[in-house]
Amino acid sequence: MRVKGVAAALAAAALPIVGCGATHEASPQDAENPFLVKDLEPGPSSSEPSRFAPVAGGVVFHAVAGGGEGLWRTDGTASGTIRIDGGRLSSLGEFTAIGGRVCFDGSDRDHGDELWSTDGTSAGTLLVKDIDPGPFVSGGPTRGSSYPRSFVALNGMVLFVACDEEHGYELWRSDGTTDGTRMVKDIYPGPGPVPPDTGGGVCLENQRIQPTDLTPFNGLVYLLAEAPDTGRELWRSDGTTEGTVLVKETLPGPEPLPLPVFGAGSVPRIGELTAARGRLFFRVDDSLWTSDGTPGGTQPIGDMSPTLLRASSRLLFFAGEGGLWTSDGTAAGTQLVKPLRLAFSPRYDNMISDFQPWGDAMFFVASDGLSGFELWRSDGTPDGTAMVKDIAPGSTSSQIENFTVMGSALYFSAYDGSSRRLWRTDGTPAGTEALTDAAPSIAGHTGQFPVRSWGAASGLLLFAATDPNHGTELWGYRPPAVN
């Protein structure tokens, strides 16, 4: 089942209706070292925990254990780590925490891939609505799955993208109830440009025209959506049909057909919508654009092949021609900060990574041509942009993944030239260190310690890691208290 690129009634009265509506057990490893929380699939077999999202008192996650995929919850203890879907779900996709609940697309035998939500309990794990009715049908045109995704909160409801055979992929809303879950607007009228009697059906064949990049901004949700007359452009929505409108046509006229499927070598001409400095930023072909949400305030800044747009507390950072760029929303304030090779994009031939804002700075993976791809930090100035540490010395790259800010440190996984381990940094070279060096109980296993996915709750970092005795299972790390 694809990931992403996530209840008939909300029963938990103590939780706000937004969205789809424990004390840690003592361990001798708690204060200093990562520890195994629970071996869900006992022995060397792996449960592959992933897609962590916070709920009250813990974290929900996806795992493969006991003969199949399922939804689990943990408070960071073995006894508090349990399956909560009752064996009903056969696959799970995108998880998004909103208003005390987690919205996700889940699949069961009777409904296909549809909208679910959970509060972290078995009783509170519920199907919201069967948007594309009926069970999943394969062996011909695909039917029965709406593939909900891209969940964002807006004024006590959730906006998201879903598909049905009549309308194709469109913008939907939900208040967490079946009756309160409905399509907002049929932006691309009808099922889409590919007729429903071809290939895998409407929802498989028309993925290219689904709305994307749902971004809350100034009390509305902005998105990139496709219409027959304009192609993909910037839209805004207040969650109503009348309030869902085109902001501005950046490139007049529709895009040519046939439309390729996302993920098959296609790069949409407009993308990467991001809010920063009280403005919206996005890419149109090789140009950086900015918007205040109005037609007149939506204008190009310049051509620098922008990609990987991310916001810090002060600036927009992005990868562009020549290296690392920043922008304050003006042409004069958009500049190349430092010549670097940054993370992979359709225009860059390097490994994929991400920017991670932390305080006033941005952390990212880059190479200056002397070292491999390593951890860098920038405050948006040339002098304030430097490599934090050469984790894998020389031309070898440290393959950094899974940035997570928790407390007074930034955590990530990295390869030091011999093994992949859990690392943390305070932003300085001296404060950047591997955590597993000080863990005698797993010291012999550090060569097989890849961190796959992350979650955090109640001061506990949760992740999937591998050792020879347990396979890939659920591990935890409790950072020491800061004095």
Side-chain angles (χ1 to χ4, degrees):
M1 173 181 172
R2 74 164 161 82
V3 178
K4 296 181 43 177
V6 355
L10 295 174
L15 298 178
I17 301 180
V18 179
C20 331
T23 302
H24 184 64
E25 293 173 359
S27 166
Q29 298 172 318
D30 281 6
E32 307 236 349
N33 305 314
F35 59 93
L36 178 68
V37 175
K38 190 169 185 175
D39 192 356
L40 304 182
E41 190 73 1
S45 299
S46 298
S47 66
E48 300 283 350
S50 64
R51 301 167 218 165
F52 296 90
V55 292
V59 167
V60 294
F61 62 98
H62 164 273
V64 183
E69 296 187 51
L71 180 66
W72 290 70
R73 178 188 184 277
T74 185
D75 62 1
T77 70
S79 61
T81 303
I82 58 174
R83 185 167 179 175
I84 61 171
D85 66 0
R88 292 172 292 169
L89 294 171
S90 58
S91 62
L92 300 94
E94 178 181 338
F95 282 22
T96 304
I98 297 177
R101 298 186 69 86
V102 172
C103 306
F104 64 97
D105 57 307
S107 180
D108 68 10
R109 185 187 335 175
D110 297 325
H111 304 98
D113 192 335
E114 297 294 346
L115 177 62
W116 288 67
S117 82
T118 184
D119 63 359
T121 68
S122 296
T125 299
L126 306 165
L127 173 69
V128 179
K129 186 168 184 170
D130 191 358
I131 292 171
D132 196 32
F136 175 81
V137 178
S138 60
T142 303
R143 301 289 187 271
S145 292
S146 67
Y147 305 114
R149 60 192 72 177
S150 304
F151 308 105
V152 296
L154 178 68
N155 301 328
M157 59 185 166
V158 171
L159 267 60
F160 62 101
V161 175
C163 178
D164 66 24
E165 295 298 318
E166 181 180 355
H167 304 100
Y169 285 96
E170 294 295 348
L171 184 66
W172 284 66
R173 58 176 284 176
S174 177
D175 63 1
T177 69
T178 302
D179 291 342
T181 301
R182 60 183 182 272
M183 187 176 68
V184 175
K185 187 167 186 172
D186 195 1
I187 296 174
Y188 197 109
V194 179
D197 58 348
T198 62
V202 166
C203 295
L204 181 63
E205 299 293 344
N206 287 304
Q207 294 183 60
R208 173 61 180 83
I209 62 168
Q210 65 179 289
T212 63
D213 296 72
L214 276 63
T215 304
F217 179 70
N218 287 349
L220 300 172
V221 168
Y222 288 76
L223 62 149
L224 304 177
E226 192 104 15
D229 296 335
T230 62
R232 182 167 296 271
E233 294 290 359
L234 179 65
W235 287 64
R236 68 171 182 247
S237 178
D238 62 2
T240 69
T241 302
E242 299 77 15
T244 302
V245 297
L246 174 71
V247 175
K248 183 171 183 175
E249 197 170 358
T250 60
L251 292 175
E255 294 184 69
L257 296 177
L259 298 171
V261 174
F262 279 136
S266 166
V267 179
R269 64 171 187 163
I270 180 171
E272 302 197 63
L273 185 61
T274 305
R277 286 186 62 89
R279 298 190 64 83
L280 291 166
F281 293 85
F282 57 99
R283 170 189 54 77
V284 180
D285 287 338
D286 289 331
S287 298
L288 179 67
W289 282 62
T290 185
S291 177
D292 62 3
T294 68
T298 303
Q299 300 291 337
I301 293 177
D303 295 342
M304 64 284 295
S305 299
T307 190
L308 296 173
L309 278 62
R310 295 293 185 273
S312 74
S313 61
R314 299 187 304 107
L315 293 168
L316 176 79
F317 285 76
F318 61 96
E321 289 182 355
L324 177 69
W325 289 68
T326 59
S327 178
D328 64 2
T330 68
T334 301
Q335 57 187 344
L336 177 66
V337 177
K338 195 154 195 167
L340 292 170
R341 296 179 67 200
L342 285 104
F344 173 85
S345 79
R347 297 178 179 84
Y348 300 86
D349 60 351
N350 309 313
M351 74 178 65
I352 190 166
S353 185
D354 201 357
F355 288 102
Q356 174 63 54
W358 188 26
D360 291 339
M362 187 69 73
F363 290 77
F364 57 98
V365 178
S367 172
D368 57 6
L370 302 175
S371 300
F373 287 88
E374 296 293 345
L375 179 65
W376 284 67
R377 178 187 184 277
S378 178
D379 62 3
T381 68
D383 290 343
T385 302
M387 184 169 64
V388 177
K389 189 164 188 171
D390 192 1
I391 293 173
S395 60
T396 302
S397 297
S398 59
Q399 303 171 23
I400 292 171
E401 298 175 338
N402 299 313
F403 285 131
T404 300
V405 174
M406 189 172 180
S408 60
L410 173 66
Y411 295 85
F412 56 95
S413 71
Y415 175 73
D416 63 7
S418 61
S419 62
R420 174 172 288 279
R421 292 181 284 172
L422 177 64
W423 285 69
R424 69 179 170 201
T425 184
D426 62 3
T428 68
T432 303
E433 59 185 353
L435 296 178
T436 50
D437 281 341
S441 65
I442 58 171
H445 305 153
T446 55
Q448 293 83 32
F449 199 72
V451 179
R452 307 289 183 83
S453 189
W454 300 75
S458 303
L460 183 68
L461 183 68
L462 296 163
F463 52 92
T466 302
D467 74 21
N469 296 324
H470 303 100
T472 303
E473 293 295 343
L474 182 65
W475 286 67
Y477 172 73
R478 185 173 294 280
V482 178
N483 295 324

